[in-house]
Amino acid sequence: MRVGFRERTCAMPAVALGLNFAWEWTYAVHNLAFDPSVQGGVNLVWGIADAVIVYTFFRYGRAEFPSFVTARMFGGLSVLLFGMSFAVQWLFLAKFGAEDGGGYSAFLQNLLMSALFIAMFVARRGLRGQSVTIAVAKWLGTLAPTILFGAIQHDGFLLGLGIMCSVLDLVYVWLCVGAKRDGGVGDAGDVSEPRSVTTRADSASVEA
């Protein structure tokens, strides 16, 4: 949230944000309504925090797209994205129930999220809207349930997904650490040219 407001951008990939926001609100409401527990309250707090990141997406996200994406098109595609994100969570919930559905969807979307953060780093050519702290927190946030559900509770499926998440997360940490060492700019582009901070217009064209 802080990085997003400071740098006037969304600090998460759009698809990752949609799935994360939908997961937290789906299972917060389901848990608090049908099986009240501390986890339901935790999910609610996460959902409220993610709502702030969603605000930064709608407030600043349009600038990340090329000019042919009009404000109306951006709004329509965004509504479609968040609508489908909720639909995915509800399908998992209906098929597998709250416990298995929540776990399976969380780990699968975390694997996707890990790849999307790397893609965002490449598209933005560096650390704009990102930080080493975010990268490390993302890694540890998935590593903890991987150890709990995958290793301690002997769920091979979740353990395998969690290991793959950690591999991608550590790659992302490595990229962010290297970019911070180089002044916030990645190694994309012609290495023979002097490095310079990427402009918002340049980044928008790359992300397109």
Side-chain angles (χ1 to χ4, degrees), residues 94-109:
K95 177 66 176 179
F96 299 106
E99 184 174 353
D100 288 341
Y104 295 158
S105 60
F107 274 81
L108 285 168
Q109 70 190 46

Side-chain angles (χ1 to χ4, degrees), residues 30 62 74 88 117 123 128 135 137 146 148 188 190 203-204:
H30 184 276
R62 169 67 185 80
F74 172 73
V88 167
F117 267 97
R128 188 173 61 80
T146 297
L148 175 60
D190 187 349
S203 180

Side-chain angles (χ1 to χ4, degrees), residues 5-23:
F5 282 113
R6 184 186 68 200
E7 302 189 17
R8 300 177 66 82
T9 187
C10 182
M12 283 184 68
V15 174
L17 176 60
L19 289 170
N20 216 46
F21 180 73
W23 190 96

